[in-house]
PDB file of all heavy atoms in Angstrom:
ATOM      1  N   GLN Y 411      27.439 -33.560 -20.221  1.00 85.00           N
ATOM      2  CA  GLN Y 411      26.361 -32.926 -20.991  1.00 85.00           C
ATOM      3  C   GLN Y 411      25.039 -33.018 -20.233  1.00 85.00           C
ATOM      4  O   GLN Y 411      24.305 -33.972 -20.410  1.00 85.00           O
ATOM      5  CB  GLN Y 411      26.247 -33.609 -22.353  1.00 85.00           C
ATOM      6  CG  GLN Y 411      25.284 -32.909 -23.269  1.00 85.00           C
ATOM      7  CD  GLN Y 411      25.128 -33.647 -24.584  1.00 85.00           C
ATOM      8  OE1 GLN Y 411      26.011 -33.583 -25.420  1.00 85.00           O
ATOM      9  NE2 GLN Y 411      24.010 -34.325 -24.773  1.00 85.00           N
ATOM     10  N   PHE Y 413      22.176 -31.881 -20.619  1.00 94.00           N
ATOM     11  CA  PHE Y 413      21.006 -31.405 -21.380  1.00 94.00           C
ATOM     12  C   PHE Y 413      20.861 -32.226 -22.661  1.00 94.00           C
ATOM     13  O   PHE Y 413      21.774 -32.940 -23.071  1.00 94.00           O
ATOM     14  CB  PHE Y 413      21.153 -29.919 -21.732  1.00 94.00           C
ATOM     15  CG  PHE Y 413      22.418 -29.604 -22.475  1.00 94.00           C
ATOM     16  CD1 PHE Y 413      22.483 -29.717 -23.860  1.00 94.00           C
ATOM     17  CD2 PHE Y 413      23.561 -29.222 -21.801  1.00 94.00           C
ATOM     18  CE1 PHE Y 413      23.651 -29.446 -24.542  1.00 94.00           C
ATOM     19  CE2 PHE Y 413      24.745 -28.948 -22.479  1.00 94.00           C
ATOM     20  CZ  PHE Y 413      24.791 -29.063 -23.853  1.00 94.00           C
ATOM     21  N   ASP Y 415      17.626 -32.724 -26.170  1.00 95.00           N
ATOM     22  CA  ASP Y 415      16.316 -32.253 -26.645  1.00 95.00           C
ATOM     23  C   ASP Y 415      15.281 -32.552 -25.569  1.00 95.00           C
ATOM     24  O   ASP Y 415      15.161 -33.698 -25.113  1.00 95.00           O
ATOM     25  CB  ASP Y 415      15.926 -32.988 -27.936  1.00 95.00           C
ATOM     26  CG  ASP Y 415      16.626 -32.390 -29.151  1.00 95.00           C
ATOM     27  OD1 ASP Y 415      17.124 -31.249 -29.058  1.00 95.00           O
ATOM     28  OD2 ASP Y 415      16.706 -33.086 -30.175  1.00 95.00           O
ATOM     29  N   SER Y 453      15.316 -27.204 -27.155  1.00 96.00           N
ATOM     30  CA  SER Y 453      16.106 -28.181 -27.915  1.00 96.00           C
ATOM     31  C   SER Y 453      17.511 -28.251 -27.322  1.00 96.00           C
ATOM     32  O   SER Y 453      17.925 -27.374 -26.563  1.00 96.00           O
ATOM     33  CB  SER Y 453      16.174 -27.777 -29.384  1.00 96.00           C
ATOM     34  OG  SER Y 453      17.019 -26.660 -29.522  1.00 96.00           O
ATOM     35  N   LYS Y 454      18.217 -29.286 -27.718  1.00 94.00           N
ATOM     36  CA  LYS Y 454      19.601 -29.470 -27.256  1.00 94.00           C
ATOM     37  C   LYS Y 454      20.453 -28.245 -27.615  1.00 94.00           C
ATOM     38  O   LYS Y 454      21.246 -27.772 -26.807  1.00 94.00           O
ATOM     39  CB  LYS Y 454      20.157 -30.728 -27.932  1.00 94.00           C
ATOM     40  CG  LYS Y 454      21.528 -31.141 -27.490  1.00 94.00           C
ATOM     41  CD  LYS Y 454      21.901 -32.427 -28.195  1.00 94.00           C
ATOM     42  CE  LYS Y 454      23.341 -32.790 -27.922  1.00 94.00           C
ATOM     43  NZ  LYS Y 454      23.711 -34.028 -28.628  1.00 94.00           N
ATOM     44  N   GLU Y 455      20.259 -27.737 -28.830  1.00 95.00           N
ATOM     45  CA  GLU Y 455      21.031 -26.575 -29.277  1.00 95.00           C
ATOM     46  C   GLU Y 455      20.717 -25.330 -28.438  1.00 95.00           C
ATOM     47  O   GLU Y 455      21.603 -24.543 -28.111  1.00 95.00           O
ATOM     48  CB  GLU Y 455      20.768 -26.291 -30.763  1.00 95.00           C
ATOM     49  CG  GLU Y 455      21.525 -27.192 -31.712  1.00 95.00           C
ATOM     50  CD  GLU Y 455      23.027 -27.206 -31.424  1.00 95.00           C
ATOM     51  OE1 GLU Y 455      23.646 -26.130 -31.342  1.00 95.00           O
ATOM     52  OE2 GLU Y 455      23.581 -28.319 -31.250  1.00 95.00           O
ATOM     53  N   ASP Y 456      19.446 -25.165 -28.109  1.00 96.00           N
ATOM     54  CA  ASP Y 456      19.039 -24.014 -27.282  1.00 96.00           C
ATOM     55  C   ASP Y 456      19.734 -24.075 -25.915  1.00 96.00           C
ATOM     56  O   ASP Y 456      20.230 -23.070 -25.414  1.00 96.00           O
ATOM     57  CB  ASP Y 456      17.522 -24.018 -27.051  1.00 96.00           C
ATOM     58  CG  ASP Y 456      16.748 -23.794 -28.332  1.00 96.00           C
ATOM     59  OD1 ASP Y 456      17.221 -23.011 -29.163  1.00 96.00           O
ATOM     60  OD2 ASP Y 456      15.681 -24.417 -28.494  1.00 96.00           O
ATOM     61  N   PHE Y 457      19.727 -25.269 -25.330  1.00 96.00           N
ATOM     62  CA  PHE Y 457      20.336 -25.408 -24.006  1.00 96.00           C
ATOM     63  C   PHE Y 457      21.859 -25.270 -24.078  1.00 96.00           C
ATOM     64  O   PHE Y 457      22.476 -24.742 -23.156  1.00 96.00           O
ATOM     65  CB  PHE Y 457      19.948 -26.756 -23.372  1.00 96.00           C
ATOM     66  CG  PHE Y 457      18.484 -26.851 -23.047  1.00 96.00           C
ATOM     67  CD1 PHE Y 457      17.777 -28.040 -23.237  1.00 96.00           C
ATOM     68  CD2 PHE Y 457      17.790 -25.757 -22.551  1.00 96.00           C
ATOM     69  CE1 PHE Y 457      16.423 -28.126 -22.936  1.00 96.00           C
ATOM     70  CE2 PHE Y 457      16.434 -25.830 -22.249  1.00 96.00           C
ATOM     71  CZ  PHE Y 457      15.747 -27.021 -22.454  1.00 96.00           C
ATOM     72  N   LYS Y 458      22.427 -25.737 -25.194  1.00 95.00           N
ATOM     73  CA  LYS Y 458      23.874 -25.616 -25.349  1.00 95.00           C
ATOM     74  C   LYS Y 458      24.275 -24.138 -25.413  1.00 95.00           C
ATOM     75  O   LYS Y 458      25.270 -23.712 -24.847  1.00 95.00           O
ATOM     76  CB  LYS Y 458      24.325 -26.331 -26.633  1.00 95.00           C
ATOM     77  CG  LYS Y 458      25.818 -26.419 -26.783  1.00 95.00           C
ATOM     78  CD  LYS Y 458      26.191 -27.207 -28.012  1.00 95.00           C
ATOM     79  CE  LYS Y 458      27.696 -27.326 -28.125  1.00 95.00           C
ATOM     80  NZ  LYS Y 458      28.094 -28.056 -29.323  1.00 95.00           N
TER      81      LYS Y 458
END
Side-chain angles (χ1 to χ4, degrees):
Chain Y
Q411 187 183 285
F413 55 86
D415 280 342
S453 72
K454 185 177 173 181
E455 281 307 308
D456 294 323
F457 293 141
K458 188 176 182 181

